[in-house]
Amino acid sequence: MRGDITFDSNGNRLAGHLYLPERDAGAAPAVIVVGAASGTKEQSPAAYATRLAKLGYVALAFDHSTYGDSEGTPRCDENPFAKSEDIKNAVTFLAGREEVDRERIAAVGVCGGGGYVPYTAVADRRIKAVATVSGLPDLRATITDGYAGDWREMMNIAQSAREAYAQGGEAQYLPFMPPGDAGQWVNNGKKYYLSDRNQDPAWRNQLLLWSYDKMVQFSALDVIELLAPTPLLLVAGSDAETLSQSEAAYSKAQEPKELFLIEGGTHFDFYDRPEYVDPAVTKIDSFLRTHL
C-alpha cells in the first residue's frame, strides 16, 4: 500500500511516497531508498521501495529539495550536502511513525544515493544498516575525470552563473544527460532517462550549473572508513561501468562490509530491469534480516 506523505527539511516541504507492508504486524523495520543524482521518487526509489514493502518493510521514497514535487529553489540543484540533510530529516520522519520500529531503520542508495547514504550514516547513527546499488560514492572523481568537460573551466562558469543569479538573472542549467556521444556509461544512461524506461515523465533533463562546484567537493570515500560498526553492503553488476567506485568504497570501508556482484549487470540495469533489480533486492533483504 502506497500513501502520499510530506515532511520538513531545512525549511522545505518534501514530498514522498510511503510504502507499507500489506500485513499489519506491528512496528516494522523501515528502509529509506535514495535514488540517483537528478532522480525522483518515481524512478529507481519506487522500484526498490515497492519490492521491499512486499517483503515486510516500511519503505520511504521521496523527492529531495528542489526536485520533483518537493519545494526548493532554484530547481534541480544537485547539492550532496543538502541531500544528506534531507536523508537525516527522512529518518526523523520515519522514527515518528507508529508503523516503524525506530531501532530498525536502514537506508539503500542507488547510484549517487550510494554515496549520499553512507556519507549520511556516518553521522546519523539512527541508520542501522546501509546498502548501495550501482553506487557512485565519489562524485569528485566523476567530475574531475571529465564528466562535464574541463572541471576547472566548469568551476569558473559555475561561479559566473552564481553571480548572475544573485543579480536577478535566471538560473542557468546544463543537460544532465548531455547530447551527442558522451561515452559508454552516459550513452547507456540515455537509454534509461530518455526512453520509456524512465518512470517519471515529469523528470527534467537539467542540472543547475553551479551544482558542479558542490559535486566536486563531495566524496563519501573521504569518510566511509568511519561508518563502522554500521554494516555496509555494496551491490554492483560485474559489467558495471562504475564497478571501480564500489570496489573503492569496499576497500576503504571497515568491517562489517560485503561487496556482492551480480553477473552481467551494467550500471543502469539496476535502475529498473527486473532481472537485476530482483536479485539485488533479494540480497538486500537477506542483509537487512541479518543486521536489523
Side-chain angles (χ1 to χ4, degrees):
M1 181 176 67
R2 191 192 85 181
D4 295 336
I5 59 89
T6 61
F7 61 92
D8 291 326
S9 183
N10 292 356
N12 291 322
R13 197 74 169 162
L14 304 192
H17 291 153
L18 189 66
Y19 297 80
L20 299 177
E22 292 185 3
R23 292 179 296 174
D24 182 8
V31 183
I32 297 167
V33 184
V34 180
S38 93
T40 61
K41 61 186 179 299
E42 287 82 8
Q43 295 173 333
S44 58
Y48 285 83
T50 301
R51 288 167 168 82
L52 288 166
K54 290 179 180 178
L55 294 171
Y57 301 91
V58 175
L60 173 62
F62 67 95
D63 290 328
H64 285 274
S65 301
T66 79
Y67 285 105
D69 297 317
S70 291
E71 295 179 343
T73 56
R75 303 298 292 172
C76 301
D77 182 6
E78 193 62 29
N79 183 339
F81 309 101
K83 284 195 165 185
S84 177
E85 291 300 306
D86 290 345
I87 296 168
K88 293 175 188 175
N89 289 315
V91 175
T92 298
F93 166 78
L94 284 178
R97 299 284 301 199
E98 63 180 11
E99 306 97 333
V100 172
D101 180 348
R102 59 175 295 137
E103 298 302 321
R104 292 192 293 163
I105 296 175
V108 173
V110 181
C111 188
Y116 304 150
V117 163
Y119 176 87
T120 303
V122 167
D124 195 333
R125 293 292 166 166
R126 297 174 298 173
I127 300 173
K128 303 301 185 184
V130 167
T132 73
V133 182
S134 287
L136 197 70
D138 193 355
L139 286 183
R140 179 189 304 138
T142 302
I143 300 302
T144 58
D145 284 349
Y147 176 81
D150 185 306
W151 72 271
R152 292 180 177 86
E153 180 181 354
M154 179 58 68
M155 295 306 102
N156 291 327
I157 296 171
Q159 303 321 317
S160 295
R162 279 180 183 270
E163 293 178 9
Y165 183 72
Q167 293 166 10
E170 296 291 326
Q172 298 178 40
Y173 295 90
L174 289 175
F176 179 71
M177 288 281 113
D181 185 354
Q184 181 181 11
W185 179 47
V186 177
N187 290 342
N188 285 342
K190 293 178 185 180
K191 295 175 184 177
Y192 170 78
Y193 283 105
L194 307 183
S195 75
D196 59 6
R197 287 173 58 193
N198 185 343
Q199 293 302 301
D200 185 1
W203 175 82
R204 299 181 184 182
N205 184 26
Q206 63 182 36
L207 197 66
L208 184 68
L209 205 156
W210 63 91
S211 295
Y212 284 99
D213 65 16
K214 305 167 191 175
M215 294 164 69
V216 82
Q217 292 177 278
F218 179 83
S219 175
L221 301 185
D222 293 343
V223 298
I224 200 166
E225 66 178 334
L226 303 177
L227 180 62
T230 302
L232 172 66
L233 169 68
L234 304 121
V235 178
S238 64
D239 295 340
E241 307 89 333
T242 55
L243 175 57
S244 62
Q245 290 223 7
S246 293
E247 291 172 335
Y250 179 80
S251 176
K252 286 183 173 291
Q254 303 297 313
E255 297 286 353
K257 61 180 180 178
E258 180 180 0
L259 175 61
F260 183 79
L261 299 185
I262 295 177
E263 188 64 31
T266 64
H267 180 91
F268 292 99
D269 287 335
F270 289 88
Y271 283 37
D272 66 321
R273 295 195 184 281
E275 61 267 38
Y276 297 102
V277 175
D278 287 345
V281 171
T282 297
K283 178 61 181 179
I284 291 168
D285 178 42
S286 173
F287 168 75
L288 295 180
R289 290 183 186 278
T290 299
H291 293 290
L292 283 185

